[in-house]
Amino acid sequence: MKRITIPHIGMRVVKTAVAVVLSYLVFVPFHLLYREELGGVLGQLGPLYACIASIICVQSTLGQTVQLGISRLIGIGVGGVLGTATLLLGPALDDPWIKAPVLGLVCVAGVWLCLLFRRPGACVMACILPCVILITGVTGATRYHYAIARILETVVGLLIALAVNAALPDHRPEPEEEEPRIRVELDNETRKLCVIGDPVLHSLSPALHNTMLQALGLNYIYLCQPVPRGKCAAWLESARLAGYAGFNATMPHKEELLPLMDELDEDARLIGAVNTVCLRDGKAYGYNTDGEGFLRSLADEGIRPAGLRVLVLGAGGAAKAVCLKLAQAGAEVVVCNRTVEKAAELCTHDPERLRPAGFDPETLRREAAGCRLLVNCTSLGMEGTKGRFADFSFLDELPRGAAVVDLIYAPAETELLRRAREKGHRTANGIGLLVNQAVLAMERFTGAEVDAAEMKKLLSDKLF
Ligand code: NAP
C-alpha cells in the first residue's frame, strides 16, 4: 500500500500567511480596496500587489528578503515607467495589430533594463506590469495612477514582509559566501602538478595555477599536497613514480629540496632555496622564481632597483630572495630584522650591497631616511597573525615619492600600506609577487609563454 506523507507546515509558511494577512488588513482601515470612485492613485490602490510582494519576500532569509525586495521594486519601477510610456502611442493602441508588437517590445526593454541594473530577479515584474496596463485596457492618465499605486503597494508589502521576517523566529541562516571553486576537466592524458608544504591547505596556488591552466587551454591539473617536514626525499620519489610533471614548494621545504635536485637554476643557487621543481626524463630540475617574480612586480610598478637605496624589513626566506635579487640588480640594501644576527647572516651573501641593522624604532627611522623603496618582508600585519608594527614613524623619514611594498596580500591593504598611502607614498601589495612567481613557474612547468599582465588581470578578476 502506498504510504501517504502528510506535508509539514513549518514556521516559514506561517510567517508567509501572517505577512499576507497583514498586507491585506493594512489597507482596510483606510478603505483602500480598489475603489474607482475615489479617483486618482487612491482609486487604484489595493492590497493585491502588497500581498504578492510579502509572499515572495517572507520565504527567504532576511538578507535575501532585502535583495529580493530591491529586485521587486526595480521590476515594478521599470515596468511602471515602460507601461506608462506606451501612453505616448495614444489611440493607436486600440488596434490589436499594433498593441501586440508593442507588448513584445516593452517586455524586451523591461528585461534588458533589469539586466542592465544586474537584477535578473526584477525581470518578471518589469514585464507583468506593462502587460497588465496594456492588456486590461487601463488608459489615459489612469495608467500613471495605476503604475504609482502598484509601486506603493509593493513598498507596503515589502516592509511588512521584512518586519514579519525579522520579528518572528526561524531565521534561516544567511548562506555562506562560497569559496571560488575551479572545475577542471580530466582525461587519461591530464598531467599532474601540485604545491607541497606543511601546512599547505590554505595555499592559493591551486586556484591560481588551475585558473591559468584553464585560460591557457593546457591539459594539466594542479593539486594541493601536504608533505611533512623532513620528507622531501620520499615525496620526490613518489612524485616521480606518480608521473608528476612538477610541483611548487612552500614553507618549510624550499631549502630541504636544494640538495635533492639533479640540476639547479642560477637563482635557486643564489638564493639557496627551490620553489619550483620540474620532473623531466627522470631528472629533477630546481628553480627559484620568487626573486625574479619580485623584480618583475617592481617593474610592473615602474620601479627600477639599479642605484636605489632600499630598506628591507625582515630577514626570513622571502627577504633573502628579495635582498639578493635587489643587490644583483644594483640596489643598496639595508636589512632591518628583529633578530639582527639573521640579518647579518643574510648580508654575508653580498656584503658590498647588503648591510644589516636592528628593528627598533630609532634604527628604522634612521635607516629609512633617504630610502626610495621600502619592502616589508616580515609577517607583521598579515591576516591570521597577531604581530603588528609597534611604530610607524619610520614612514615619516622616507623621502617624498618613495614606494612602499608589502609582500603580504591578505589583507589586500595592510596597516603599513594604508599609512604609507595616507602619507602620499606609492604603495603595492604582495599580489604582484604572487602572480609573477606563479607565471614564471607555469612557464617552467609547461614550456608555454605566459602573458603576465593578462594573467594578473584574469587572476585579479577571478580570485582577488
Ligand atoms: P619567515 O621566513 O618566517 O620570516 C618572517 C620574518 O618576519 C622574519 O624576519 C621575522 O623576524 C619577522 N617577524 C616575525 N614576527 C615579527 C615581529 N613580531 N616583529 C618583528 N619581526 C617579526 O617568513 P617568509 O617566508 O620570509 O614570509 C614573510 C612574509 O612575506 C609573510 O607575511 C608572507 O606571507 C609574505 N610572503 C609573500 C609572498 C607573496 O607571494 N606575496 C611570498 C613569500 C612570502 P625574526 O627573524 O626576528 O624572527
Side-chain angles (χ1 to χ4, degrees):
M1 220 175 71
K2 221 177 167 188
R3 269 185 65 193
I4 298 171
T5 48
I6 298 169
H8 171 69
I9 305 287
M11 194 60 190
R12 314 292 318 168
V13 182
V14 174
K15 281 169 119 175
T16 307
V18 170
V20 169
V21 169
L22 290 178
S23 297
Y24 178 80
L25 287 178
V26 80
F27 285 82
V28 174
F30 304 103
H31 308 288
L32 295 172
L33 301 166
Y34 306 114
R35 290 167 54 205
E36 292 279 327
E37 74 270 18
L38 280 178
V41 174
L42 285 186
Q44 296 294 325
L45 213 54
L48 180 60
Y49 278 69
C51 289
I52 295 173
S54 66
I55 290 169
I56 290 177
C57 284
V58 87
Q59 288 179 343
S60 314
T61 68
L62 216 50
Q64 286 170 336
T65 305
V66 173
Q67 288 307 317
L68 220 60
I70 294 170
S71 288
R72 221 185 141 74
L73 265 181
I74 290 176
I76 289 276
V78 166
V81 169
L82 287 174
T84 46
T86 57
L87 192 68
L88 297 172
L89 292 170
L93 282 175
D94 293 339
D95 182 345
W97 295 104
I98 295 178
K99 191 184 279 190
V102 170
L103 264 175
L105 283 175
V106 162
C107 287
V108 171
V111 170
W112 185 82
L113 281 170
C114 294
L115 296 181
L116 186 71
F117 296 133
R118 295 176 190 274
R119 289 283 172 183
C123 292
V124 173
M125 264 350 271
C127 293
I128 288 179
L129 198 51
C131 286
V132 172
I133 292 174
L134 282 164
I135 296 171
T136 58
V138 187
T139 55
T142 311
R143 245 181 249 190
Y144 295 119
H145 302 147
Y146 184 88
I148 294 167
R150 297 301 77 83
I151 293 169
L152 290 177
E153 284 173 32
T154 303
V155 172
V156 171
L158 296 178
L159 291 177
I160 289 175
L162 273 175
V164 171
N165 211 349
L168 295 184
D170 183 33
H171 293 141
R172 285 184 194 178
E174 299 293 338
E176 282 183 16
E177 225 172 82
E178 278 209 1
E179 290 275 317
R181 284 191 163 270
I182 292 156
R183 296 189 184 282
V184 185
E185 286 184 18
L186 305 175
D187 59 33
N188 292 349
E189 306 282 309
T190 304
R191 308 212 58 203
K192 292 189 287 285
L193 297 167
C194 71
V195 55
I196 65 165
D198 180 19
V200 74
L201 293 180
H202 65 283
S203 173
L204 266 182
S205 292
L208 217 66
H209 284 271
N210 284 316
T211 305
M212 286 199 279
L213 288 166
Q214 238 166 27
L216 295 165
L218 296 171
N219 192 7
Y220 284 78
I221 181 173
Y222 191 104
L223 304 163
C224 190
Q225 179 62 57
V227 170
R229 187 187 282 270
K231 293 288 180 198
C232 277
W235 157 254
L236 200 58
E237 200 44 39
S238 324
R240 279 195 175 107
L241 286 174
Y244 271 81
F247 57 90
N248 287 119
T250 180
M251 287 265 293
H253 300 318
K254 292 184 181 184
E255 284 85 16
E256 194 186 328
L257 281 168
L258 201 73
L260 301 174
M261 297 294 106
D262 294 302
E263 285 190 31
L264 287 171
D265 83 338
E266 231 178 78
D267 276 4
R269 271 182 226 281
L270 175 78
I271 296 163
V274 166
N275 78 331
T276 302
V277 177
C278 292
L279 298 173
R280 277 192 301 264
D281 312 321
K283 280 188 168 182
Y285 298 83
Y287 304 91
N288 190 306
T289 64
D290 285 335
E292 186 57 30
F294 174 71
L295 288 190
R296 287 195 183 189
S297 71
L298 287 189
D300 291 345
E301 301 295 327
I303 301 170
R304 291 163 183 270
L308 219 59
R309 274 192 66 187
V310 184
L311 171 57
V312 169
L313 308 180
K320 192 173 178 190
V322 165
C323 290
L324 296 183
K325 287 301 279 185
L326 280 172
Q328 196 185 51
E332 300 283 334
V333 185
V334 55
V335 187
C336 291
N337 196 44
R338 178 179 61 178
T339 313
V340 74
E341 297 77 19
K342 271 174 73 179
E345 201 283 322
L346 197 167
C347 294
T348 58
H349 293 272
D350 193 342
E352 293 226 335
R353 295 201 169 271
L354 304 177
R355 181 167 58 80
F359 202 76
D360 57 287
E362 181 60 42
T363 307
L364 290 181
R365 272 197 300 276
R366 191 181 63 243
E367 298 297 348
C371 283
R372 305 215 50 89
L373 172 64
L374 181 148
V375 188
N376 176 37
C377 301
T378 73
S379 48
L380 295 177
M382 188 167 83
E383 217 166 70
T385 59
K386 289 204 182 105
R388 292 184 68 228
F389 281 94
D391 181 286
F392 286 96
S393 58
F394 57 87
L395 289 175
D396 297 324
E397 305 302 323
L398 292 173
R400 273 169 74 87
V404 176
V405 176
D406 200 329
L407 294 198
I408 294 169
Y409 53 80
E413 188 178 55
T414 54
E415 192 180 358
L416 172 72
L417 289 189
R418 181 178 58 76
R419 287 176 181 256
R421 177 174 54 78
E422 285 168 1
K423 289 189 189 297
H425 300 305
R426 283 187 294 157
T427 60
N429 67 13
I431 287 179
L433 162 57
L434 184 72
V435 172
N436 279 299
Q437 61 80 23
V439 163
L440 287 165
M442 180 61 66
E443 289 181 336
R444 309 278 183 281
F445 288 142
T446 64
E449 233 177 74
V450 186
D451 183 331
E454 207 176 279
M455 281 305 146
K456 192 170 178 189
K457 177 157 187 344
L458 172 81
L459 296 169
S460 302
D461 289 350
K462 291 209 165 194
L463 303 178
F464 306 121

